[in-house]
Amino acid sequence: MALEVDLDWGKIFNIPDFTTTITVVQRHGRRLSTDALQDGVVNPQQIYGGGGNVILHLVYFYAQKKWLRGRIILTMGRYAPGPDFNSSPLQCLVMGQATCSQPRATTLTDGYSSWPGTAWSAVLRVRPTMPTYVTFGAYETSPLKGGTAGTDWGGKHITGVTLALGGGYEPAFGPHKLNGHYKAGMLWDSSPHAYNEVTSDAPTRWRHGQMISYVAFDQMLVRNGKYSDSGIIILGGYTHVTSGISVLSDQAYVGIEDVGQFAGRPRDALGLTWSALRYGPNVKSIWQPEQGTILLDPLAPNRPLLASRESIFDATYNFHLGNGIDIAPDFQYFWRPGGSGRVKNAAVLGMNAHVTL
């Protein structure tokens, strides 16, 4: 459950184009991935208790000011790179966490936070022309990302600063206004990061600075209706994170969505995505044959079993039952869950229910 309070200070105190937002959520549950798949990286569920497993978790607490009819937007407060960098709401039509609403390779890093994790932030978005934009961001880096209740803002947990630069092109082609979104960007985290070393007895090696770079797109091919996303849309993207100090170093995904295919059901939607992930070097597999034992790689007896690659297919159909009410059955298939190949491929069936009041 989520509760959001938006205040328009133009109407309250006559401060034009100035708003504040506070969002809290209830985050209670368990991770199906670690319970059943021995996969600590990609979870089949969008919401599972992450962010604290608590009754109340503070997400957003920020102010936003606009100039020139929204051509310039400044956002400051408890915010995150998630809404502005390497993200798209289209990626959350399917249920799995592999792409919703950012590729999983980004959200595993300390310098990138997304719902429900936040950090002290300042973000400036400028539109030189209506179809184009450039976004600059500066964020504190904190592995806690707000902590259990979202209110752990202590300075002792800040490890560095994350600087972000991104841009995009958002055309609408032809008389049917076939919407497209093309984007690229990078984020650099100044924090110290330990190398993924599991076989060396030498002292831990550290690197200052971690880079995330990405490209992504979505493009409507056929329009089905009047809504901005009503049509057949293809999408895809690629993310790279500095190898050697990352859990996931590379992720690529492709997908197709069909929204409003049936005239009588304009908000129904079909979504299909496939995502391929490559683990960073020397990332230890979480799979072990027995509690308290360490499985060694049969090809290298002096090191633990390592994770290497994993793929996920996700298919969903969203039934729009009424204003603010949606139910979406979902099917996912995991190849090499956990990345080691020692856990069998797995099929996951789920249901996503969404009610907005």
Side-chain angles (χ1 to χ4, degrees):
M1 294 181 290
L3 173 66
E4 180 169 302
V5 178
D6 299 299
L7 299 179
D8 185 342
W9 295 95
K11 297 180 179 179
I12 299 174
F13 284 132
N14 198 30
I15 305 175
D17 298 317
F18 181 71
T19 60
T20 55
T21 295
I22 301 175
T23 306
V24 295
V25 295
Q26 182 267 346
R27 305 284 294 187
H28 182 71
R30 295 178 60 87
R31 289 173 57 97
L32 178 63
S33 56
T34 50
D35 285 351
L37 301 180
Q38 290 293 302
D39 187 344
V41 172
V42 182
N43 195 53
Q45 307 144 263
Q46 291 176 6
I47 300 173
Y48 59 87
N53 193 19
V54 293
I55 295 177
L56 197 64
H57 179 93
L58 175 66
V59 182
Y60 291 136
F61 179 53
Y62 66 85
Q64 188 172 85
K65 173 65 176 174
K66 298 180 180 179
W67 295 272
L68 301 179
R69 298 182 180 180
R71 297 283 288 270
I72 301 174
I73 303 175
L74 176 64
T75 305
M76 299 183 67
R78 294 296 300 184
Y79 197 54
D84 297 296
F85 296 93
N86 205 12
S87 175
S88 169
L90 294 176
Q91 293 166 208
C92 277
L93 174 57
V94 295
M95 187 173 178
Q97 199 187 38
T99 59
C100 176
S101 60
Q102 307 84 11
R104 184 63 173 135
T106 62
T107 57
L108 285 174
T109 63
D110 291 342
Y112 189 104
S113 53
S114 64
W115 180 286
T118 55
W120 290 114
S121 312
V123 188
L124 180 67
R125 172 170 288 208
V126 179
R127 284 193 176 273
T129 64
M130 288 310 297
T132 63
Y133 66 87
V134 180
T135 306
F136 309 89
Y139 311 84
E140 69 169 16
T141 302
S142 171
L144 291 181
K145 301 178 182 179
T148 301
T151 55
D152 193 336
W153 303 343
K156 64 180 180 179
H157 301 300
I158 299 174
T159 59
V161 62
T162 297
L163 303 177
L165 171 65
Y169 175 51
E170 301 177 333
F173 296 109
H176 297 295
K177 297 189 181 298
L178 303 178
N179 298 325
H181 303 83
Y182 300 82
K183 65 191 75 173
M186 60 183 64
L187 299 91
W188 182 79
D189 172 18
S190 69
S191 303
H193 301 273
Y195 279 88
N196 299 332
E197 296 179 331
V198 297
T199 59
S200 176
D201 294 330
T204 301
R205 292 193 304 154
W206 294 83
R207 172 194 175 113
H208 280 268
Q210 183 179 46
M211 179 72 76
I212 304 171
S213 54
Y214 67 90
V215 292
F217 80 96
D218 62 77
Q219 178 62 56
M220 182 179 291
L221 303 179
V222 178
R223 177 164 289 283
N224 293 332
K226 62 181 180 178
Y227 299 106
S228 62
D229 62 345
S230 293
I232 299 175
I233 302 170
I234 58 172
L235 62 155
Y238 171 74
T239 299
H240 174 72
V241 185
T242 303
S243 299
I245 56 173
S246 59
V247 178
L248 291 177
S249 62
D250 299 270
Q251 181 176 354
Y253 69 91
V254 292
I256 185 169
E257 298 184 1
D258 191 356
V259 182
Q261 180 62 237
F262 305 107
R265 305 196 59 80
R267 297 309 297 158
D268 279 13
L270 169 70
L272 307 170
T273 64
W274 177 79
S275 187
L277 304 92
R278 177 183 296 170
Y279 286 75
N282 295 325
V283 174
K284 181 181 174 182
S285 169
I286 71 167
W287 183 79
Q288 303 296 338
E290 298 178 4
Q291 185 71 25
T293 66
I294 298 177
L295 182 69
L296 299 181
D297 189 334
L299 300 180
N302 293 324
R303 71 178 185 183
L305 182 69
L306 302 181
S308 58
R309 55 186 174 83
E310 181 175 357
S311 299
I312 303 105
F313 172 76
D314 199 335
T316 193
Y317 190 89
N318 184 84
F319 294 92
H320 183 69
L321 304 182
N323 290 335
I325 304 175
D326 295 85
I327 293 180
D330 185 85
F331 169 80
Q332 294 175 63
Y333 195 83
F334 283 70
W335 286 271
R336 297 170 55 87
S340 69
R342 298 303 294 267
V343 180
K344 293 182 179 180
N345 299 343
V348 179
L349 298 175
M351 179 78 72
N352 191 359
H354 191 191
V355 178
T356 303
L357 301 178

